[in-house]
Structure formats: C-alpha cells, structure tokens
Amino acid sequence: MDHEKNQQVYPLAPPSVHPRSDAESAWSESEQELRRKKRMKLFMYIAAFVVFQTIVILIFALTVMRVKTPNVKIQTVTVQNLNRDSSAYNMTLIAEVRIKNKNFGDYKYDSAPMNVTYGGAIVGTGSIPKGKAKAKKTRRVNVTMEVSSNGVSDASSGISSGILWFNSQATLTGKVHLMKVMKKRKTVRMNCTMAVNLTSGAIQELSC
C-alpha cells in the first residue's frame, strides 16, 4: 500500500494542437477558387453546347424542314401544223413545262390536265404526266396540245389581227417527301399567256 501511495499521478498531457499557418490557409483558399473556376468553365461549356444545339435545330427547321411550294411554268412553246383561213384556225402547240422543286425532299405529283383558252373558251387541252421532281432539282416535261378554233364565236377577229393571244392553265397536286418520314401536300397552279404570230408561226411573247 505504501508503494502505491508513493506513486505520483501525472495529469494527461493535452493533445498537441498545431496552429494553421498562413501558407496552409492560402493554399486551401486557392484550391477552392480553382475548383470554383473549373465548375464555372463546365457550366459555360454546357451552356454554349445548349445554345449551339438550339441554333442548329433552328437552322434545320427553317431550311431543311421548311416546305416550299414548287414552281410550275411553261419554259418554251413550239408551234407546229399551223393552218388558218379567214374564220378558223388549228395548230399543234408543244410546250416544255418546267417543274422546279425548291425543297430538300422529292415532290411527287399526280397527272393533271393542261388547257389552252382563248377569250375564256377552251380551244385545246393536253396532260402533264404523273411524275417526280427530285429535291432541289427542276423536272422538264413536254406537253402536246391540239388547238382549234371550233366553238369560238369571235375567232375571225383574232385571225384578222394576225396575232392570237392564248392562256394556258394547269393545277398540280402532290406531296413533298422530307426525310422519308414527313409528307406535306402542296398544290401548284400555273397560268401562262402566249401570243402566236399567225404569219411566222412563232411565239412572240410568253409570260407565266
């Protein structure tokens, strides 16, 4: 017992505490700032990518996916087998019809009648055959029309002037096919005016 009493009790030493140096504190703050800057750059890259994708989609929608109405007009007309007297005429008109497709998809259209009128009366008719105008291409087809003054009450007045003014009309109905998944119906109307010289048998004016 005496031996135990003689033992001294020493208090536990407090844990050693190393004060944080200014260099360590500055390094920690620098690391946090670096991480913050990296996060900011990442957010900026993501935002830039989203903006870029939005612009690409918008351009795609306004160009590739935008459906435009094709254009149909008579490019040239050739007059054949012209016969006339003081009160009647007949001739063959061969028209080169141009179907211009401004879309990024094919325009498939049905056959359509093409009429020639004089003073509102139909004096000739032909047919534009069923076909397809490829994307961003122009299709040309020849349409033959037999024209006659039969049934025209005032044919003699036009014959005496030496110039016959005709109108030609046609309506094409079809669909524009985009990306093989989208189809958009488009109807195209053509209205052209032409002047036939009865002396030379040539087209003097052609306007569509």
Side-chain angles (χ1 to χ4, degrees), residues 89 93 114-125 145 147-148 152 164-169 191-194:
Y89 59 81
L93 298 181
M114 180 171 161
N115 297 324
V116 177
T117 61
Y118 178 82
I122 296 177
V123 295
T125 186
M145 296 166 288
V147 177
S148 173
V152 179
L164 292 176
W165 286 90
F166 295 115
N167 284 90
S168 184
Q169 302 91 17
N191 187 12
C192 298
T193 302
M194 65 188 80

Side-chain angles (χ1 to χ4, degrees), residues 59-77:
I59 293 175
F60 186 79
L62 293 177
T63 55
V64 177
M65 299 304 291
R66 182 184 178 187
V67 179
K68 302 176 182 178
T69 302
N71 179 267
V72 180
K73 64 180 292 187
I74 296 175
Q75 188 70 25
T76 60
V77 178

Side-chain angles (χ1 to χ4, degrees), residues 34-70:
L34 184 61
R35 290 177 180 176
R36 188 184 69 83
K37 288 182 178 180
K38 286 183 178 180
R39 287 196 298 269
M40 289 295 296
K41 284 184 178 180
L42 179 61
F43 292 150
M44 289 176 61
Y45 290 149
I46 293 174
F49 179 76
V50 171
V51 172
F52 175 76
Q53 288 291 94
T54 302
I55 294 174
V56 170
I57 293 172
L58 183 61
I59 293 175
F60 186 79
L62 293 177
T63 55
V64 177
M65 299 304 291
R66 182 184 178 187
V67 179
K68 302 176 182 178
T69 302

Side-chain angles (χ1 to χ4, degrees), residues 17-195:
V17 177
H18 297 283
R20 196 172 190 179
S21 66
D22 293 340
E24 290 176 336
S25 177
W27 182 85
S28 178
E29 292 177 359
S30 176
E31 185 181 20
Q32 291 179 1
E33 179 68 15
L34 184 61
R35 290 177 180 176
R36 188 184 69 83
K37 288 182 178 180
K38 286 183 178 180
R39 287 196 298 269
M40 289 295 296
K41 284 184 178 180
L42 179 61
F43 292 150
M44 289 176 61
Y45 290 149
I46 293 174
F49 179 76
V50 171
V51 172
F52 175 76
Q53 288 291 94
T54 302
I55 294 174
V56 170
I57 293 172
L58 183 61
I59 293 175
F60 186 79
L62 293 177
T63 55
V64 177
M65 299 304 291
R66 182 184 178 187
V67 179
K68 302 176 182 178
T69 302
N71 179 267
V72 180
K73 64 180 292 187
I74 296 175
Q75 188 70 25
T76 60
V77 178
T78 303
V79 181
Q80 295 181 353
N81 307 321
L82 173 60
N83 294 297
R84 69 181 179 97
D85 55 30
S86 59
S87 60
Y89 59 81
N90 60 77
M91 68 189 77
T92 301
L93 298 181
I94 302 176
E96 182 188 90
V97 179
R98 186 194 71 176
I99 304 164
K100 185 177 182 180
N101 182 16
K102 298 173 285 186
N103 295 288
F104 285 91
D106 296 342
Y107 177 58
K108 298 180 180 180
Y109 54 88
D110 299 325
S111 61
M114 180 171 161
N115 297 324
V116 177
T117 61
Y118 178 82
I122 296 177
V123 295
T125 186
S127 179
I128 300 175
K130 179 180 180 180
K132 176 178 70 175
K134 294 182 179 181
K136 308 297 286 186
K137 299 290 184 180
T138 298
R139 181 180 176 86
R140 291 176 171 82
V141 296
N142 289 330
V143 178
T144 300
M145 296 166 288
E146 299 297 333
V147 177
S148 173
S149 61
N150 292 337
V152 179
S153 58
D154 59 345
S156 58
S157 62
I159 294 173
S160 62
S161 69
I163 301 292
L164 292 176
W165 286 90
F166 295 115
N167 284 90
S168 184
Q169 302 91 17
T171 301
L172 282 185
T173 301
K175 293 180 180 179
V176 176
H177 295 245
L178 290 173
M179 311 293 290
K180 296 184 179 181
V181 294
M182 178 179 173
K183 298 179 182 179
K184 182 70 173 181
R185 181 173 292 276
K186 282 294 180 179
T187 299
V188 189
R189 291 177 176 84
M190 182 198 77
N191 187 12
C192 298
T193 302
M194 65 188 80

